[in-house]
Amino acid sequence: MARFGFVGVCLAAMVAVSFAAEGVDMSADICQSMAPSDWPCIVNQGYTFAIIQGWSGGYGYNSGLSDCVANAWAAGMAHVDVYVFFCPNCDGCSDPAGTIQTMVNNMAGQNIKYGMLWFDTEQCDGCWNDAGSNAAYIHTGVNQAVSMGVTVGMYSSPYEWGQTVGGDTSFTAYPLWYANYDGDQSFDDWSSDPFGGWSSPAMHQFAGDASVCGIDVDLTWYPDSGAPLNRTKGVRPVRLVNPNSRPARGGMLRKPVRKN
């Protein structure tokens, strides 16, 4: 969202804020720990969408995903998406196409209603190989999802992208959800540190380890009028548990994902 000068911009700023959406994302273990009553509390705080981890590296498919997604919808979330973290050295994930096929088939078998599948690209200890093979691995998974009719997006940060796939710019056909924990509900930081060949992002994960209704979540923002995602409105202030507990470069991994 562009920033405006002071004179004569109050109305414009109000319009800019109104055409925005803020939501939460959470890991598989957090989702599994939630009670159904937690979801209406989150919605009542003004959050309008949720993105829930569906696959966690070597730990595999989120057995609680169906309940989490159903509870999010029932609470009044306007949109519910799913994200996947997989890697070539995570147990059971050496075949990227097979991993994604299993995940998508599991969701279909459970009649899980979701909008997009976001591919979480970030580092973990011993998870990845060289940049070129890592990019090829992710492409194979993405292509599998697309072939099954799934709408795909990419998640990363400048640091994590560079560490994982180097200077690769071959994923720009998909919308980017990027992480930078600056607490700012805008894209003002994008021009100073773009990556991956994207000319503009779709969503900004601006805070990590936030506490919403006592639940540990990350917070994401996007301008409903400008992003290629049709989301609803609502902006809330940042509530951080500990802004230094995770690096500002972003990332959703909270526990080891290489299950040996």
Side-chain angles (χ1 to χ4, degrees), residues 21 78-79 116 222-225 227-233:
H79 303 277
M116 295 182 65
Y222 65 83
D224 198 20
S225 59
L229 306 170
N230 182 19
R231 307 303 198 190
T232 54
K233 306 173 181 67

Side-chain angles (χ1 to χ4, degrees), residues 133-148:
S133 64
N134 291 343
Y137 175 92
I138 298 168
H139 264 300
T140 301
V142 167
N143 290 342
Q144 179 64 41
V146 171
S147 75
M148 299 177 77

Side-chain angles (χ1 to χ4, degrees), residues 11-194:
L11 179 59
M14 290 174 63
V15 171
V17 169
S18 68
F19 287 101
E22 190 178 339
V24 300
D25 70 78
M26 64 197 62
S27 62
D29 55 328
I30 295 296
C31 141
Q32 293 170 17
S33 72
M34 293 175 63
S37 59
D38 291 328
W39 286 101
C41 179
I42 293 173
V43 171
N44 288 338
Q45 292 295 311
Y47 297 96
T48 60
F49 65 93
I51 308 176
I52 303 168
Q53 186 175 33
W55 191 281
S56 180
Y59 293 94
Y61 186 68
N62 176 2
S63 61
L65 183 63
S66 179
D67 287 341
C68 287
V69 171
N71 290 335
W73 284 119
M77 285 290 182
H79 303 277
V80 181
D81 292 351
V82 176
Y83 77 88
V84 53
F85 177 83
F86 68 158
C87 65
N89 298 327
C90 294
D91 280 1
C93 299
S94 60
D95 174 11
T99 298
I100 298 304
Q101 184 177 46
T102 296
M103 179 184 181
V104 173
N105 283 340
N106 284 352
M107 291 190 291
Q110 294 179 311
N111 295 314
I112 294 176
K113 176 187 174 184
Y114 64 102
M116 295 182 65
L117 178 61
W118 297 91
F119 281 75
D120 176 8
T121 304
E122 61 181 293
Q123 286 289 295
C124 65
D125 186 25
C127 289
W128 296 96
N129 300 316
D130 64 276
S133 64
N134 291 343
Y137 175 92
I138 298 168
H139 264 300
T140 301
V142 167
N143 290 342
Q144 179 64 41
V146 171
S147 75
M148 299 177 77
V150 176
T151 303
V152 167
M154 305 302 296
Y155 167 89
S156 197
S157 70
Y159 176 86
E160 300 293 350
W161 187 262
Q163 290 294 303
T164 307
V165 297
D168 190 276
T169 60
S170 61
F171 291 88
T172 56
Y174 309 104
L176 173 66
W177 171 24
Y178 77 103
N180 180 26
Y181 298 157
D182 59 359
D184 187 15
Q185 297 152 316
S186 78
F187 292 150
D188 287 354
D189 61 329
W190 173 255
S191 62
S192 65
D193 201 9

